[in-house]
Amino acid sequence: MRALLFAAAGLVLAGPLAAQEVVRTERAAFRIAPVAQGLEHPWGLAFLPNGWMLVTERPGRVRLVGADGRLSAPLGGLPETVARSQGGMLDIALHPEFAQNGLVYLCQVQAGEGGFSSTLVRARFAESRFEGAETLFAAEPRATTGQHFGCRLAFGPDGMIYMGLGDRGRMDRSQDLADHNGSLLRLTPDGRVPPDNPFVGRTDARPEIWSWGHRNIQGLAVRPGTGQVWLHEHGPQGGDEVNLIKRGANYGWPRVTHGVNYGGGQITPHTALPGMEDPVHVWTPSIAPSGMAFYEGDAFPGWRGNILVGALRSRLLVRLTLEGDRVVAEERIPTFGERIRDVRVGPDGRVYLLTDDSRGAIWRLDPA
């Protein structure tokens, strides 16, 4: 069966990559091992129950990755993606009952009347392709700008899917409840509005919104054992934020920020305002965080309970130590000097990294 699947999917062996020397950190030592290469701007990663992976490529593809690193040809059956600037085929998440229903969720940019928008797509994984794909939700209003699509996905313990969006390069959108962009959305698994969402019944607000006032959400994760939704978002020049999400809360952008305009110039004099939530952690200067995971595995016991964050601009892995709901320490861990787009913890307890490059790859941190 395994051989037939690989043949059907057109899998080929990824080329060799050199493993790195031992990296020693405050609470762990590891080697960086290659998993797969030959990926064009990989963006999101999901582990299948058998340990294989589904990985998205921003130009509009999804591939299957074998446990031995073999890459499939692009899997068919998905709607057309607009791969423009920062947009394309972005995040991917499995339904909590994937083993029974085979459902996969993708956040991809699609064209529509008025421009492009981040959309939520659901399809059934059928080994060498997807079947029954449908677009469940499209952010409105659309725009022709090519930046700040957000597009991170995560299922909560309540069974709802959370979808993080960016402001599409127009900061005013984040303070407009009639605009999906610049918000964290909460949807049922079939794309409907949960009746307990905070703005249900208001004529001046989109009912899908769970929190608002975000600039560009690039990391999204649920803290194990708590049900808490955490995210991080890009600031402008400075002011990247980690936020603990509260129902219906306003996170301030652009009325509140620790950053300034690119090239200098004040956006707002305020780093805090009444009625707006303060970030749990701020990076100034920016690291351009991307990807986010809570670590609870056995491979690195010293990291349990910590947040792991990739960095595009700073090209490293960041480990945040928590006490309660506060970040009390930060460790910046050098890896291999490439832009890290996503961070995931595998079923084996190891940490997997995606590198954002035209010759991108999947790497694994193995305990040393």
Side-chain angles (χ1 to χ4, degrees):
M1 177 63 182
R2 181 175 183 271
L4 289 174
L5 172 59
F6 280 170
L11 285 151
V12 297
L13 189 63
L17 291 172
Q20 303 295 306
E21 298 297 324
V22 174
V23 178
R24 301 192 182 279
T25 73
E26 293 174 7
R27 298 187 184 177
F30 60 84
R31 288 185 175 88
I32 305 173
V35 176
Q37 65 172 340
L39 294 161
E40 186 177 0
H41 294 287
W43 213 94
L45 178 70
F47 286 92
L48 299 175
N50 62 2
W52 300 348
M53 295 165 269
L54 291 171
V55 61
T56 63
E57 294 175 283
R58 185 158 48 82
R61 299 181 288 269
V62 180
R63 296 181 189 268
L64 181 65
V65 185
D68 55 2
R70 289 190 289 174
L71 286 177
S72 76
L75 305 181
L78 295 174
E80 184 177 353
T81 299
V82 175
R84 174 178 173 177
S85 187
Q86 297 172 3
M89 185 71 74
L90 303 179
D91 211 5
I92 185 168
L94 305 186
H95 189 282
E97 298 177 1
F98 173 86
Q100 288 74 46
N101 60 31
L103 293 178
V104 176
Y105 292 75
L106 300 121
C107 189
Q108 66 177 101
V109 175
Q110 295 181 17
E113 185 177 353
F116 319 113
S117 68
S118 302
T119 66
L120 180 67
V121 173
R122 181 177 66 181
R124 181 167 286 103
F125 176 63
E127 296 188 342
S128 62
R129 61 178 285 107
F130 293 101
E131 296 179 348
E134 54 183 330
T135 299
L136 301 179
F137 168 84
E140 295 181 347
R142 291 181 171 88
T144 57
T145 56
Q147 70 265 42
H148 297 186
F149 290 96
C151 247
R152 285 295 179 194
L153 301 175
F155 272 95
D158 55 4
M160 303 301 168
I161 189 167
Y162 293 80
M163 178 177 179
L165 300 179
D167 65 7
R168 298 299 307 281
R170 282 183 43 193
M171 61 179 71
D172 56 298
R173 304 182 81 157
S174 297
Q175 288 297 315
D176 184 358
L177 281 170
D179 192 320
H180 287 124
N181 298 284
S183 303
L184 178 68
L185 310 182
R186 179 174 177 261
L187 302 165
T188 67
D190 57 3
R192 292 178 297 138
V193 177
D196 58 341
N197 271 11
F199 302 110
V200 169
R202 282 182 51 169
T203 59
D204 62 340
R206 300 276 183 171
E208 296 87 357
I209 293 175
W210 186 252
S211 65
W212 50 307
H214 302 290
R215 184 173 181 270
N216 190 21
I217 298 170
Q218 291 291 291
L220 182 62
V222 176
R223 189 178 186 182
T226 69
Q228 294 175 338
V229 177
W230 290 62
L231 60 80
H232 65 61
E233 55 190 282
H234 285 186
Q237 186 170 301
D240 301 335
E241 297 181 0
V242 177
N243 285 302
L244 170 57
I245 298 303
K246 299 179 181 178
R247 178 184 185 274
N250 183 350
Y251 287 80
W253 173 256
R255 294 180 60 195
V256 170
T257 182
H258 289 257
V260 297
N261 276 313
Y262 293 106
Q266 188 179 79
I267 297 171
T268 171
H270 304 294
T271 56
L273 282 173
M276 297 184 178
E277 294 297 319
D278 294 332
V280 175
H281 191 67
V282 175
W283 287 286
T284 298
S286 293
I287 66 166
S290 190
M292 181 180 191
F294 284 90
Y295 189 82
E296 294 292 341
D298 294 328
F300 303 104
W303 289 357
R304 288 190 189 125
N306 294 174
I307 300 175
L308 300 178
V309 174
L312 295 165
R313 181 177 181 272
S314 295
R315 300 172 183 252
L316 45 73
L317 180 68
V318 175
R319 182 179 63 84
L320 301 176
T321 302
L322 299 177
E323 286 186 3
D325 295 336
R326 297 183 303 117
V327 173
V328 296
E330 174 183 334
E331 182 183 17
R332 299 191 178 195
I333 302 170
T335 50
F336 34 70
E338 295 197 37
R339 290 161 51 87
I340 297 177
R341 173 58 72 181
D342 200 10
V343 180
R344 303 282 172 143
V345 179
D348 55 5
R350 288 163 167 77
V351 177
Y352 291 74
L353 308 177
L354 297 185
T355 56
D356 181 35
D357 190 86
S358 59
R359 295 175 294 177
I362 305 172
W363 296 81
R364 186 183 66 238
L365 307 188
D366 291 333

